[in-house]
Amino acid sequence: DAGVTQSPTHLIKTRGQHVTLRCSPISGHKSVSWYQQVLGQGPQFIFQYYEKEERGRGNFPDRFSARQFPNYSSELNVNALLLGDSALYLCASSLQKGNYGYTFGSGTRLTVV
Amino acid sequence: TQLLEQSPQFLSIQEGENLTVYCNSSSVFSSLQWYRQEPGEGPVLLVTVVTGGEVKKLKRLTFQFGDARKDSSLHITAAQPGDTGLYLCAGPQNTGNQFYFGTGTSLTVIP
């Protein structure tokens, strides 16, 4: 069975640019969440989507947005990139909206130069 | 300010030693989870504790949820080099739809 897949695995962008990260959840999982992890720290919650609707939002600026598609895959968009946006972006899926254990993808390593 | 504080932040021990990692909060959690993360990978779920005072064992790992559901601990017996990694506690708040991770404990087990 395929796990949570994220693309691309690595990405280099320039300040001010826009980036789109993609995530495919485990088959049958309807909830997708996004996290930002800076090196050496725990992941920070960005968004949770369930049944294509936003169910939770972390403390991130409006430059960050996301959406979930009818097939439950998801995109995370970041506009006007800053150097501080450089991080590992993790996607996690779960069966239900309730947070009882996520399966994570391997992440997208974003470097902003 | 982090909602979930872990201690210690870094831990380097010899193979065969025992260790305990702590996860503390001033807030009540309906459940807490422990994950282990290796470099270049996403976190992998180890266990979920739901009931205050609950103890769960996973081979050499023992997890405990505090009676007040504000803290948790992870104890590893006879650590092995394969236990090396970043250990993270995490959980949802009783109210709201946010999921918080702890500050992390980086464990290195030296052969």
Side-chain angles (χ1 to χ4, degrees):
Chain A
D1 284 342
V4 177
T5 57
Q6 292 186 243
S7 62
T9 55
H10 296 81
L11 200 54
I12 299 176
K13 289 285 190 178
T14 304
R15 277 180 300 175
Q17 284 188 316
H18 162 271
V19 68
T20 297
L21 310 181
R22 295 178 175 83
C23 172
S24 293
I26 289 175
S27 177
H29 283 196
K30 297 182 178 181
S31 176
V32 170
S33 298
W34 287 95
Y35 296 83
Q36 180 195 66
Q37 186 175 27
V38 175
L39 194 62
Q41 298 181 15
Q44 297 289 317
F45 173 75
I46 309 176
F47 289 110
Q48 183 192 37
Y49 277 77
Y50 177 74
E51 289 284 15
K52 301 177 288 294
E53 290 189 10
E54 182 183 304
R55 303 290 182 166
R57 172 184 282 259
N59 188 26
F60 279 80
D62 292 343
R63 299 185 295 109
F64 289 76
S65 64
R67 55 180 176 168
Q68 187 177 33
F69 299 99
N71 67 353
Y72 302 110
S73 67
S74 178
E75 283 182 355
L76 175 69
N77 296 284
V78 186
N79 292 324
L81 285 167
L82 303 174
L83 295 179
D85 295 331
S86 296
L88 179 68
Y89 287 85
L90 293 163
C91 172
S93 75
S94 63
L95 271 171
Q96 301 169 352
K97 183 177 62 171
N99 299 306
Y100 284 98
Y102 291 105
T103 301
F104 281 84
S106 297
T108 294
R109 172 69 63 187
L110 172 64
T111 302
V112 182
V113 298
Chain B
T1 302
Q2 289 280 354
L3 197 61
L4 287 167
E5 294 283 347
Q6 289 185 233
S7 61
Q9 185 178 359
F10 298 97
L11 193 54
S12 181
I13 62 171
Q14 294 290 330
E15 182 176 359
E17 292 184 348
N18 302 331
L19 66 113
T20 302
V21 177
Y22 299 93
C23 173
N24 294 290
S25 178
S26 58
S27 300
V28 175
F29 283 81
S30 57
S31 67
L32 274 180
Q33 295 151 22
W34 285 91
Y35 293 81
R36 186 174 78 200
Q37 184 178 22
E38 299 188 19
E41 298 294 329
V44 175
L45 178 66
L46 296 174
V47 78
T48 300
V49 286
V50 179
T51 307
E54 181 178 4
V55 176
K56 280 192 174 179
K57 292 191 175 184
L58 185 66
K59 296 183 180 179
R60 295 177 293 101
L61 278 60
T62 302
F63 304 86
Q64 185 164 7
F65 201 9
D67 291 339
R69 292 184 290 141
K70 292 183 178 182
D71 57 271
S72 182
S73 64
L74 158 61
H75 182 80
I76 301 179
T77 304
Q80 299 177 1
D83 296 328
T84 294
L86 180 67
Y87 288 82
L88 297 157
C89 62
Q93 275 288 273
N94 265 335
T95 58
N97 291 314
Q98 295 204 5
F99 192 73
Y100 294 93
F101 274 86
T103 48
T105 295
S106 179
L107 171 66
T108 301
V109 182
I110 303 166

